[in-house]
Amino acid sequence: MDSPPGYPPDIQPVWTPWVTFHVINVQKENSLYLIDTGMSGAIPALKRTLKNRGWDHLPIRGIVLTHGHYDHTRNVAELVRETGAWVAAPRLDKLHCEGRFPYRGWSRACGWLEACGRRCLGFQAFTVTHWIDDGDSIPIGPGWTAIHLPGHTDGHMGYLHAAQKLLFTGDLFASFGALSHQPPRFLNSSPHQIARSLELAASLNLEGILPNHGWLATPARHLEQLHRLAGRHRDREPS
Ligand SMILES: [Zn+2]
């Protein structure tokens, strides 16, 4: 299987019904890295995808989390046990990663959903080996930088590959064509920061976006949706 249309050959999305996550193949290391880990059913989907790409013989060396929500972290412990991978996560999402975040206001619904998910679908604690702050280099090869995009969670982080002009945007927004939107209010811990984060992402010199929620589309199409959404926010700002 080749890379999906519009994707660079070293990046492979793993599509599952709830959430997409991504595999990066650092060819000169013969190593794989994951950006997030998906939810129930994601590990079989990951294994199928790696087999189809012919990457199933390569070791997974590291897992980088965009934020600490359940649908991005559910499989970390199992994957670490299977592969010995290190885990990197935003420092400000420490309590999310530990399942101890004190949700307030509307976002208490998010805490309730996560608690239900943990109880019904399972969750195992994991150890974060690298805490990430804004501007940090990411240990998956040269040229990767963390871009703090708070709002969905306090620590929510994008990951930029400057040479490829690609940005992994986590849950900054959901990319569904004309229906693209920022995450619903009850899923955001600090929603007042989202407009600024959209603006920051839209200001970067990019050729593509890789979101965790969205329709199947090329990174360039997802970038168009980011610009459209940021533009809508800008139009709503009082002049
Ligand atoms: Zn989330």
Side-chain angles (χ1 to χ4, degrees), residues 38-197:
M39 231 165 77
S40 298
I43 291 182
L46 171 65
K47 289 181 175 172
R48 274 195 308 275
T49 302
L50 296 183
K51 191 165 192 308
N52 289 341
R53 280 305 302 263
W55 293 357
D56 50 331
H57 63 292
L58 297 173
I60 297 174
R61 301 266 190 219
I63 297 168
V64 183
L65 299 174
T66 58
H67 61 295
H69 277 162
Y70 178 74
D71 58 330
H72 298 248
T73 61
R74 194 255 182 205
N75 298 307
V76 173
E78 186 173 339
L79 286 167
V80 166
R81 219 171 28 249
E82 279 189 23
T83 66
W86 50 254
V87 181
R91 187 186 305 279
L92 292 177
D93 269 13
K94 184 170 190 289
L95 293 180
H96 281 288
C97 292
E98 295 170 354
R100 297 192 299 122
F101 184 74
Y103 288 99
R104 295 190 184 90
W106 283 75
S107 70
R108 272 188 295 218
C110 182
W112 181 81
L113 284 172
E114 287 197 316
C116 287
R118 286 196 174 90
R119 201 161 302 136
C120 301
L121 305 173
F123 182 80
Q124 293 166 337
F126 58 88
T127 300
V128 175
T129 48
H130 303 63
W131 289 110
I132 299 174
D133 296 304
D134 184 37
D136 282 356
S137 298
I138 305 304
I140 52 178
W144 288 91
T145 307
I147 309 284
H148 190 207
L149 300 172
H152 184 56
T153 64
D154 293 336
H156 185 274
M157 204 66 80
Y159 297 107
L160 172 70
H161 194 267
Q164 291 184 314
K165 298 184 178 176
L166 289 174
L167 180 69
F168 291 80
T169 51
D171 287 3
L172 175 66
F173 73 109
S175 182
F176 291 99
L179 302 175
S180 295
H181 56 83
Q182 65 182 59
R185 187 170 174 176
F186 68 92
L187 294 180
N188 302 319
S189 304
S190 45
H192 60 284
Q193 299 191 84
I194 288 184
R196 185 199 146 274
S197 293

Side-chain angles (χ1 to χ4, degrees), residues 194-235:
I194 288 184
R196 185 199 146 274
S197 293
L198 282 168
E199 197 60 45
L200 173 59
S203 73
L204 299 172
N205 180 18
L206 298 175
E207 291 181 359
I209 287 280
L210 298 102
N212 284 97
H213 298 278
W215 284 335
L216 308 186
T218 64
R221 290 285 293 165
H222 290 310
L223 178 60
E224 287 173 20
Q225 301 313 323
L226 169 69
H227 282 295
R228 185 179 300 175
L229 202 55
R232 281 215 301 262
H233 273 274
R234 227 172 283 139
D235 292 344

Side-chain angles (χ1 to χ4, degrees), residues 7-46:
Y7 279 75
D10 57 338
I11 295 176
Q12 175 64 43
V14 180
W15 285 298
T16 69
W18 287 97
V19 59
T20 299
F21 60 104
H22 298 90
V23 185
I24 300 167
N25 182 343
V26 178
Q27 287 169 358
K28 66 178 182 192
E29 288 181 18
N30 283 324
S31 299
L32 304 178
Y33 298 88
L34 303 183
I35 309 284
D36 292 326
T37 66
M39 231 165 77
S40 298
I43 291 182
L46 171 65

